Amino acid sequence: MSPSFIFWLSAAVPVYAYLGYPIVLLLLRLVIHRAVKKASIEPFVSVLIPAYNEGAVIEQKIRNTLALDYPAERLEIVVASDGSTDNTADTAREFEDGKRVRVFAYPVNRGKVPVLNETVPQLHGEILVLSDAAAMLHCDSVRQLVANFADPSVGAATGRYTVAKADDVSIGKSEDFYWKYETYLKIHESQIASTLGGHGHLQAIRKDLYPFPPPGTINDDYIIPVSVLSKGYRAVFEPEAIGYEEAHEMAGFGRRVRIMAGNMQQLREIKGLLWPPRPLPLFFFLSHKASRLVVPFAMVAAAIANVLLLPSPFYTVLLCLQAVFYTMALLGAVFQLRPKALLLPFYFCMVNAATFFGLYHALTSRRRMAWK
């Protein structure tokens, strides 16, 4: 293959993954719309809060959940402490009454998925709502989420993730922009067919559909909702069910590496979309998930091919533009650039650089990445 072919093919990958795919979804949405038959229902709900060393937020989380606009007699709150070494379990026990609030304090830290798998069979709810300890919920979020289960075709639902106090962290605005972008994609995927994956801040599943993921699962918030597709159900996105985390909870390159390692692991889920065939979810999977894993490799290939195409004036300009972009990324890594929109190149490169480390961890089966 010629350097020019490699360059344009490589350049097309990130352009499609981040710009082309949203446009395709918009066009599909004009001709395909599958509404959810929502209704105001009140099934018994179990809110499960897995926690590891969340002493700083667990009281606020329990109070936030107790304040939900949902009948108290139809809601149980369960804290599952995964061998926490701080005061997580002790603080949670201050609220325990054995009925509305229950606490499972496991003595050994095993990881999030083993804790979920052991706790779920002990829950009483028809609908399981999983919510991270650091995520605070709007008062009507569970009611809005549960309304989707009035539709018998819905097996799982996930809420909208928002960023609070974005200015407190240098990349907070970039994170906020990213999650608004993700919300756009999930809304359209859900309305066309099914969304793929959710977010640990707020997701729900029918208890009898809970998949009991393997212990080494990293991105359980993807595996759990997408598992319902293979059983003939939909996974939907509910933008009115809102949860939020403060920006500092999302900071850190290590978090991105863990997410990318989980994204690598998610590739095995494609088999559930191939048979029986589910063309639209399969298309979403390849465009939303798989294509992004190729982006960082395509970026490297495009840069190398661009160098090989010198000294062509046209390709010289393109190489200069790449150099400016990567220089901005490096500056963003070192300095607090203003306005914060200038940090987007750094954020984009950080996310994609994490793919290389995530691939290493996925290939070497670093299972301890399964818990934050």
Side-chain angles (χ1 to χ4, degrees), residues 292-365:
R292 292 191 186 180
L293 296 177
V294 182
V295 166
F297 302 96
M299 292 168 66
V300 172
I304 294 173
N306 202 161
V307 171
L308 296 176
L309 290 166
L310 299 178
S312 165
F314 176 70
Y315 287 103
T316 298
V317 172
L318 292 180
L319 186 61
C320 289
L321 292 175
Q322 288 191 72
V324 169
F325 179 81
Y326 291 122
T327 299
M328 290 299 299
L330 288 172
L331 291 174
V334 177
F335 302 106
Q336 299 292 323
L337 301 181
R338 295 291 187 275
K340 289 190 175 181
L342 295 177
L343 287 168
L344 281 172
F346 163 68
Y347 182 79
F348 183 82
C349 290
M350 178 194 71
V351 168
N352 283 283
T355 302
F356 297 109
F357 294 90
L359 175 61
Y360 167 76
H361 285 289
L363 293 176
T364 54
S365 300

Side-chain angles (χ1 to χ4, degrees), residues 115-345:
V115 164
L116 294 178
N117 290 348
E118 183 169 344
T119 307
V120 164
Q122 304 178 70
L123 304 183
H124 303 134
E126 174 188 347
I127 304 297
L128 306 182
V129 174
L130 309 179
S131 185
D132 292 341
M136 302 301 150
L137 310 179
H138 284 204
C139 65
D140 66 341
S141 57
V142 168
R143 184 176 291 279
Q144 294 282 0
L145 201 61
V146 167
N148 291 275
F149 291 95
D151 189 330
S153 71
V154 173
T158 189
R160 177 155 61 98
Y161 183 65
T162 57
V163 179
K165 299 182 180 179
D167 288 327
D168 288 359
V169 178
S170 61
I171 61 170
K173 289 291 187 182
S174 298
E175 282 279 2
D176 186 41
F177 175 80
Y178 171 79
W179 286 110
K180 287 177 179 176
Y181 170 80
E182 281 292 303
T183 295
Y184 169 89
L185 299 182
K186 290 181 182 297
I187 287 175
H188 282 72
E189 290 171 346
S190 178
Q191 292 178 345
I192 294 168
S194 290
T195 190
L196 298 182
H199 196 282
H201 83 290
L202 180 60
Q203 60 177 329
I205 187 170
R206 297 183 190 272
K207 183 182 177 183
D208 58 358
L209 296 180
Y210 180 77
F212 294 93
T217 300
I218 299 174
N219 289 359
D220 57 276
D221 50 7
Y222 178 88
I223 302 300
I224 290 172
V226 83
S227 67
V228 304
L229 273 66
S230 62
K231 300 171 185 175
Y233 292 83
R234 296 174 68 188
V236 299
F237 182 79
E238 177 51 68
E240 298 303 317
I242 302 172
Y244 62 91
E245 282 186 274
E246 295 185 5
H248 71 85
E249 294 284 350
M250 298 170 292
F253 183 66
R255 174 179 173 274
R256 277 291 161 188
V257 172
R258 182 176 63 87
I259 291 173
M260 287 302 176
N263 289 346
M264 298 284 181
Q265 194 181 71
Q266 289 166 13
L267 294 175
R268 67 189 182 192
E269 299 304 310
I270 195 172
K271 63 182 182 293
L273 305 177
L274 293 173
W275 193 262
R278 294 174 177 80
L280 284 172
L282 177 60
F283 170 69
F284 298 161
F285 181 88
L286 295 175
S287 297
H288 194 165
K289 294 294 182 180
S291 68
R292 292 191 186 180
L293 296 177
V294 182
V295 166
F297 302 96
M299 292 168 66
V300 172
I304 294 173
N306 202 161
V307 171
L308 296 176
L309 290 166
L310 299 178
S312 165
F314 176 70
Y315 287 103
T316 298
V317 172
L318 292 180
L319 186 61
C320 289
L321 292 175
Q322 288 191 72
V324 169
F325 179 81
Y326 291 122
T327 299
M328 290 299 299
L330 288 172
L331 291 174
V334 177
F335 302 106
Q336 299 292 323
L337 301 181
R338 295 291 187 275
K340 289 190 175 181
L342 295 177
L343 287 168
L344 281 172

